[in-house]
Amino acid sequence: MKKVLTLIGSAILLSACNLEDGKMFDSAYDFYGLPKAESDPVVTENPKKHQKYELTVTFKNAPGKFEISRLVENYDAKNCMITTNRAAGATAYAVYQPEFTLKKISDTVYQGEFYTDRPLNEDYFGQGVCLWENIGISLGFKADNNKKSTYFSANIDDTVWKNLTKKGATAKLVYYHRKADYPIATWFDSETGLPAAGITAEQAQQRGIDLKDAFSIELEIRRI
């Protein structure tokens, strides 16, 4: 499987004399100084991927149904720095974010699977082998396709799955969201809907937030 590559950039101002010699006007590079491979960037799926996990998502006390689900595996390759604008000296490191839909089991339960070693380490830009690392799993849910509907999110940090070293090992995470933001956060004046980041019970306690008017998204991760 091949997926489109994304870039996260950080601008670094450099003078023209410090740019890589011979590459500003090299035919192997496009008008903006990117390697031509970057104009149609793809990542090859690792044929020997094996770091697989099963995910069960359960909604509790939710004010309604969730028809839209999204799971994103987040990878970066910090050793693959790409120049995005040679005139400005702007650089970026490669980021790979394959996206999937979870299977709806019921109105309150979704299930799916994810890998943490999906991309193949190889030379994508003629600058050496890109070493991919999973930095976490992102989840998002919406009541419907309305662009103003709230996007309720939850995340699985890489420290969670890294502790599941044996097959069958499990971990559980619980995130809380405001019921009042479902399906649309009317107080949020935007055409794209509120991006609502869930909080844990510990975070709520630290911030003095009452969870009596909240619903939860429970994540159970199992190494398979």
Side-chain angles (χ1 to χ4, degrees), residues 10 19 27 40-41 79 82 93-94 100 104 116 126 133-134 151-152 169 171 194 203 206 216-217 222:
S10 59
L19 298 176
S27 61
D40 183 23
N79 70 315
I82 300 169
Y93 58 85
F100 307 92
K104 185 175 182 179
T116 56
E133 181 180 3
N134 184 286
Y151 185 82
F152 296 96
L194 173 70
Q203 290 170 332
Q206 292 172 347
S216 66
I217 302 178
R222 183 172 68 92

Side-chain angles (χ1 to χ4, degrees), residues 58-88:
T58 304
F59 294 91
K60 291 190 175 180
N61 300 316
K65 301 177 183 179
F66 292 87
E67 299 298 336
I68 307 299
S69 69
R70 180 172 180 255
L71 182 152
V72 180
E73 296 175 3
N74 299 294
Y75 300 88
D76 66 24
K78 291 186 173 66
N79 70 315
C80 285
M81 299 301 295
I82 300 169
T83 301
T84 57
N85 188 319
R86 292 186 180 278

Side-chain angles (χ1 to χ4, degrees), residues 175-200:
Y175 291 94
Y176 294 88
H177 287 274
R178 283 168 27 105
K179 290 182 180 180
D181 292 334
Y182 177 95
I184 296 174
T186 55
W187 59 269
F188 187 69
D189 186 17
S190 173
E191 292 298 317
T192 58
L194 173 70
I199 62 172
T200 65

Side-chain angles (χ1 to χ4, degrees), residues 14-36 83-90:
L14 299 172
S15 64
C17 62
N18 289 329
L19 298 176
E20 296 177 57
D21 293 338
K23 290 187 177 180
M24 178 176 283
F25 303 107
D26 193 311
S27 61
Y29 289 75
D30 66 14
F31 180 78
Y32 297 101
L34 284 169
K36 283 189 176 179
T83 301
T84 57
N85 188 319
R86 292 186 180 278

